[in-house]
Amino acid sequence: MHTTAAITKTSWEGGVSPFGTGWSKLMMWLFIVTDGLVFAGFLAIYGFLRLAGPSWPDRAKMFHLDFIALMTFTLITSSATMATAVGAARKGQGKLARRFLALTILGGLGFLGMQAYEWSSLIRAGATLSSNPWGAPLFGACFFVITGFHGSHVLSGVIVLAATWVRSGMGLSRPEGVEVAGLYWHFVDLVWVFIFTLFYLV
Amino acid sequence: MGEMSRAVHEPPTFLRRYVFSTDHKVIGIQYLITAMFMAIAGGGLVALMRMQLAWPGTKWAWLGRIFPDGMESGVMKPEFYLSLMTMHGTIMVFFVVSLGLLGGFGNFLIPLQIGARDMAFPVLNMLSYWTIVPACLVMLGSFWVEGGAAAAGWTAYPPLSAVRTALPGSQWGQTLWILGMALFIASFTMGGLNYVTTIFDQRTKGMSMMRMPLTIWTMFIASAIGLLAFPPLLAAAVLLLFDRHGGTSFFLPSGLYFGNQLLPNSGGTPLLWQHLFWFLGHPEVYVLILPALGITLDLLPVFTRKPLFGYRLTVYCLYAIAALSMIVWGHHMYVSGMSPYVGEFFAIGTLAITVPSTIIGVNMIASLWGGTLRFPTPMLFVIGAIVFFGTGGFGGIFLGNATSDIQLHDTYFVVGHFHLMIGGVTLMAMFAGVYYWFPKMFGRMMSERLGKVHFWLTFPAFYAIFLAMHYQGLAGMPRRYYAFDKYEYLQWLQGSHLHVSLAAFLLFGAQFLFLYNFFRSVFRGRKAADNPWNAATLEWSSPTPAPHGNWGEHLPEVHRWPYDYSVPGATGDCTPQTTPASVAPVTF
Ligand code: HEM
Ligand SMILES: [Cu+2]
């Protein structure tokens, strides 16, 4: 069984391994930092525009918050199934890991489906990038761009997970691979928590 | 075992070996040559600008044939001048200096100086290079689309960059500019992640962080700053694209008129872009200058034969600069309608940065003190870099103070200042680096005689241009104007334009001497010894030129810091990093 320590030992000939991680995990962490900063940029822009804007639409009128809560719940649950998959992969229980990976993928797809539904109902009500029947047009612009950007991350996460699922079925995937994919998935979920809070709640 | 077989087998085909190579050395050289090519392009653009400024309104019939739109019947149009200026800045900052220093020297040196066989992710590395190639083509190609290249400045301020009807260059040129920058950011991110991971995880035995040469330290810190600062710009660029093509108003307020037409936008503000741009833009200048300082610092001990002064302090200063550079972006916006209190915050932060910067400068000068100085070509350029760093930093103090910057902002004083810094220091360091590591790259030496002539033409010409610009700025000459002959109060400066332009042509011409020397030496240069400069750093412990995999069967083991020159009790005046403590005392 490959453990992180084994990977580090072969590639690491000097000094002290900084975080006891192999390259791919370290790389994913660094990537998450940069990608997180893209979202930080977006959300800072959103905050700036909102503070500078004269009025902001009443979100309770615009959205069905129960539905959004269900979306959020689905995504958070998929994080839990992901954690289970990683744990199983580490213990060498490949079958169980694949089953939970599949559940995670389903969770992601469910989230995307609900987001598509939400978008289409808003668009049908007349919201576009440059107009918004509930008030400030900029809110609509921010909403579509930023949740769209997040949605594209969920989609790429689903693709990564599906690739991991297929590869592990063929016996190609190492536990570290599942773990790295899991890191990305948790990150995408965490970003949603911020978006959820800033766009729907406050 | 796996390590070893990787070291021995070279890729079999020409294509895999020199074009789609995953070898960090080949990729580094590819980056370097791409940067040189882009430098000719960026220099050519500025040659046109200088022709216009020296002889405004002159008719150049042959140019009219090359640029039938921008120079119809051979006379430069104002909007064409703006396109030239925008693309000159963009190309030089991102596609010459970033590419040359981080892409070129970063790739070439990081594995060699830390004792690794390659980058942590060689394929990603190759991908990073092959992402920058289309980026270059998109940028250059934008001159030939309808309306010409982007014209809103390298800072791409809205509304010129956001409203498609604002300028001819605001049409497709600006969209291609955004695309090119997005590709650049993608490539930089791949490279930067790779550098940081490699430096963390791939050092050879004994190569602790505090034994790394400063070149590696600066590459590490510059990559880290870049990784932190580029993402928000990417977010901003996405929004700019939506403003241009999606009808949004992130950066556009209400009540905007272009050509007597009221635009429908409302709610946004161009200030938002300025903040986001400079949140990247200021750290970016450190991304550029830190590796240049690292190279300068690293070459000093080789040509003074004494240890570097203040290594540890320099490392701490690098950290301080990195941290401070993230919170001073507002000094580019003192006149953008900023509360004086916020301005004061940014001014204090900016002046705080001058402290670690000055310490590094003083460490350089102290490294010269009492040494056995020699002046081959690389050392001449090192001295040039130190001199420019001092002069440029001096101008920075006046710009950092909000009170004096209100007077100097958007004048040629700023142009003079930043060219000395990100133009001069970086150019000098890159030349020093090329002359110095050329043998490692190609196994041959460059011509010393041509190198010296190159230096003695480049250095004075550079000074003649940018020192003069400081005076023009103090006299109130604004930047980004296509001609000054219409302004009464600037009439007396027309002679200084001629002076600057002639020096600029000299500078541009002198670089062909360098290119000739470079390409001639690749094939005809004198064969180099394994360690031609008698230097202590790790890259010279591998054969010259370094083979695929860099070292033979065993990776080297490091026993000391990289600056053990003239160690008392050692044989010879250079003790390489691989020398064990039993042979020569370890000083650091
Ligand atoms: C002593 C430290 C420095 C200080 C206090 C300083 C201060 C400033 C200030 C306040 C400005 C804005 C001027 C204006 O637009 O009105 C400026 C512009 C600039 N500085 Fe510096 N600077 C320093 C060092 C550097 C370094 C090390 C670099 C590059 C490596 C650099 C590159 C630039 C560039 C590129 C601009 C112009 C940006 C533009 O408007 O297009 N500076 N500097
Ligand atoms: Cu700055």
Side-chain angles (χ1 to χ4, degrees), chain B residues 27 52 62 127 150 166 222 253 259 292 366 392 489 507:
Chain B
I27 298 177
Q52 160 69 14
W62 56 282
L127 213 60
Y489 79 105
L507 181 68

Side-chain angles (χ1 to χ4, degrees), chain A residues 12-14 23 27 34 38 130, chain B residues 120 124 200-202 205 247 555:
Chain A
W12 177 261
E13 302 207 52
W23 323 329
M27 185 81 141
T34 58
V38 179
S130 51
Chain B
L124 194 70
F200 259 139
D201 249 12
Q202 299 272 290
K205 190 162 181 190
L555 287 175

Side-chain angles (χ1 to χ4, degrees), chain B residues 252-271:
Chain B
L252 295 170
S254 54
L256 216 53
Y257 278 87
F258 269 101
N260 281 331
Q261 241 185 348
L262 180 65
L263 298 183
N265 305 79
S266 76
T269 157
L271 267 186

Side-chain angles (χ1 to χ4, degrees), chain B residues 98-266:
Chain B
S98 294
L99 235 56
L101 280 172
L102 285 137
F105 290 108
N107 269 310
F108 188 81
L109 292 176
I110 289 173
L112 274 170
Q113 288 199 327
I114 64 172
R117 297 211 184 275
D118 208 317
M119 287 285 176
F121 293 87
V123 176
L124 194 70
N125 209 17
M126 174 181 83
L127 213 60
S128 140
Y129 176 73
W130 286 105
T131 311
I132 213 67
V133 172
C136 293
L137 295 179
V138 165
M139 285 291 180
L140 293 177
S142 71
F143 271 100
W144 286 276
V145 297
E146 196 180 332
W154 80 283
T155 50
Y157 277 11
L160 291 189
S161 60
V163 178
R164 270 186 296 166
T165 49
L167 278 170
S170 310
Q171 304 171 41
W172 280 104
Q174 192 70 44
T175 302
L176 289 182
W177 185 91
I178 297 174
L179 178 66
M181 282 308 295
L183 287 172
F184 175 87
I185 295 177
S187 162
F188 183 92
T189 307
M190 288 187 244
L193 289 173
N194 220 338
Y195 298 170
V196 173
T197 311
T198 305
I199 293 171
F200 259 139
D201 249 12
Q202 299 272 290
R203 279 168 286 133
T204 191
K205 190 162 181 190
M207 179 62 85
S208 63
M209 294 293 271
M210 285 316 260
R211 279 181 182 167
M212 295 195 310
L214 283 168
T215 306
I216 302 299
W217 265 110
T218 51
M219 295 284 172
F220 174 62
I221 296 205
S223 308
I225 305 179
L227 288 176
L228 296 178
F230 269 114
L233 182 69
L234 186 66
V238 169
L239 299 186
L240 186 62
L241 215 51
F242 273 100
D243 269 6
R244 295 173 51 74
H245 297 283
T248 58
S249 322
F250 292 109
F251 303 121
L252 295 170
S254 54
L256 216 53
Y257 278 87
F258 269 101
N260 281 331
Q261 241 185 348
L262 180 65
L263 298 183
N265 305 79
S266 76

Side-chain angles (χ1 to χ4, degrees), chain A residues 10-11 13 23, chain B residues 1-8 117 202 555:
Chain A
T10 50
S11 60
E13 302 207 52
W23 323 329
Chain B
M1 200 42 225
E3 282 279 307
M4 219 187 84
S5 49
R6 186 144 62 94
V8 179
R117 297 211 184 275
Q202 299 272 290
L555 287 175

